[in-house]
Amino acid sequence: MSTPYPFTAVVGQDDLRLALLLNAVSPAVGGVLVRGEKGTAKSTAVRALSALLPEVEVVVGCRFSCAPGAPDPVCPDGPHETGPGSSRPARVVELPVGASEDRLVGALDIERALAEGVKAFEPGLLADANRGVLYVDEVNLLHDHLVDLLLDAAAMGSSYVEREGVSVRHAARFLLVGTMNPEEGELRPQLLDRFGLTVEVAASREPDLRVEVVRRRLAYDDDPAAFAARWADEEDALRARIVAARALLPEVRLGDAALRQIAATCAAFEVDGMRADIVMARTATTLAAWAGRTVVLAEDVRQAALLALPHRRRRNPFDAPGLDEEKLDDTLEEFGGGDDTPEDDPDPDGPGGGGQPPQNGPEGPQDGPVDTAEAPARPEEPAQPEEGQGGRPAGSGEQSAVRAAEPFRTKMLSVPGLGEGAAGRRSRARTDHGRTTGSRRPQGALTKLHLAATVQAAAPHQRARGRSGRGLVVRRDDLRQATREGREGNLVLFVVDASGSMAARQRMSAVKGAVLSLLLDAYQRRDKVGLITFRGKDATVALPPTSSVDAAAVRLETLPTGGRTPLSAGLLKAHDVLRVERMRDPARRPLLVVVTDGRATGGPDPVALGTRAARLHAADGTASVVVDCESGPVRLGLAGALAGELGGTAVTLAELRADSIAGLVRDVQGASGAHRRVA
């Protein structure tokens, strides 16, 4: 077994370490969501925590880790007799991003259940993690239904597996830790709320601190056992402090003054529901126990707010998590008072001390040195004034970026046909969840039984199989897998005209508002998004395809305008991006959204070049929509002509709104001629 990196050797990242330790003391806090850039040792810190957790007493032979003194009365391996058990280290169970539902919650043997009436259950990862740690790396990339199952189990402390009327329940109490890189996409707000605490991690930009990170990591890689031995005393001390805090926790008193501060803080920051108040109360109580106190102080309430509230304040996916500390301090001062403050504080280091030796650097990375943060995209160089056809200026050079108009709810744009991509909410697809549309023979393990089809397949053979009683004799060949139809997420690639013809401030503001609205729609429908802009002489991939809709919104906000309209360059760049994405993820179908007034200027015969580029997409069968941004009393209809060449459809900015009457029903066409409704 490999030697884990010592928790006390992790440099810096005080908030991350404190949040993990608080959950180690009291799993009722509700787990931790760790947000941060790549290479900041998120995984290293979580795996290192396992060595600090006290050993657990389990019933011998129980696959669900029942406690000998209080076994689960409905344990599938039970009933258990109360008595002595055996000790083992607390487990850290990792949930892979590509795990199936059966791997997470376990699987029932449907064949034996139907034929023998036996509940043959194979436990999943939730059973393995009971009374331990369940670690989900890249939790934002998990399928929605897996996240729902995971967080439901974390909230209820048990897991249910039900198949065709056969059900099994077992205990599933664990410390839930998720890590994510926000650049790769966000969790839904309602799922963010299910994590008790959240912390932001980032690598230090101080050279001396980074040197210490690399020095420790290289020493660990050279000899893990010797490196761990150097930190053994600190690990033992921290392990003992966790045990002491657990023992002290039931004695901690949450006074009325502290409780008023908690309620006032949650109300002041307008968090939804009451979960934040409860999490803050549990966190503040645990902080007091961690500091060796039996009374909750204002400083505990403040630290609890910084850990429990930032991720609960998001109102839409473009809001950055965070907390106004000045407002927090004002609220605590206004609602402070009472007699909860003891005369002597037994822990001069306070709740954030962590019981660790002084550190001189940031947290070490999981695999090698800390990566620098990805530099934000720089604005394009100012475009020089150029001449359009006939010697007239086509644009006035680069203009400053304008703010997007208020976003609105858009009509649904979807890809025609039936796909098989990742689960989402946009286009029709064959999925594991959704309405049942038929049955087939299972390919591999049976996951969703079609009961009627199975009975129909087994019925003609009952006499030949010697059926004598009331039970049905079912063989493996009789089983039928249910085929289901749901929705998939797509790759929505935006190609935005940022040329001089689009540069009028009011017009560009409306265009950005429309794209922002479509981005919000893509977030809600679980799409990947990409952003290409074209102006001047070329097109630029402002954002490669990603699950981070937030990043696309940031790029859009700083989008400069001006210059000619190289429409063909934008379409060709989009063709290259889609070609690469088809090789990376052939199951995810693309939807091309071109935002333009249809004009093409610059170079020899720009209109013909644009037409040829559009026909490349039509030949590939790419579903496409042209958002027509042409304004004014005289319309040339160029965007509609472009949509025809793409084999798609055109929709005006007004028709894009879900509440508009104009264009209430539109078709998004693929090159094959298939149609899908927009409304």
Side-chain angles (χ1 to χ4, degrees), residues 254-296:
L254 180 65
D256 288 342
L259 195 54
R260 280 196 304 271
Q261 287 182 319
I262 290 171
T265 301
C266 293
F269 286 100
E270 300 179 346
V271 296
D272 295 331
M274 296 298 297
R275 184 175 284 121
D277 303 64
I278 297 171
V279 171
M280 273 191 65
R282 289 172 175 166
T283 305
T285 303
T286 308
L287 281 163
W290 181 245
R293 287 185 267 99
T294 57
V295 176
V296 174

Side-chain angles (χ1 to χ4, degrees), residues 21 24-26 52 54 236-252 285-286 288-294:
L21 290 170
V25 173
S26 175
L52 299 177
D236 290 341
L238 194 56
R239 191 179 297 110
R241 187 174 179 183
I242 292 174
V243 174
R246 282 187 173 185
L248 183 62
L249 185 61
E251 303 176 21
V252 176
T285 303
T286 308
W290 181 245
R293 287 185 267 99
T294 57

Side-chain angles (χ1 to χ4, degrees), residues 12 38 61 72 79 162 189 192 221 225 243 261 285-286 317 329 356 360 375 389 401 405 414 488 510 529 563 572 634:
K38 53 186 176 292
D72 185 359
E162 297 194 12
L192 281 172
D221 290 341
V243 174
Q261 287 182 319
T285 303
T286 308
D329 291 334
Q356 302 189 46
N360 297 317
Q389 294 173 330
S414 60
E488 67 176 359
V529 297
L572 289 174
V634 179

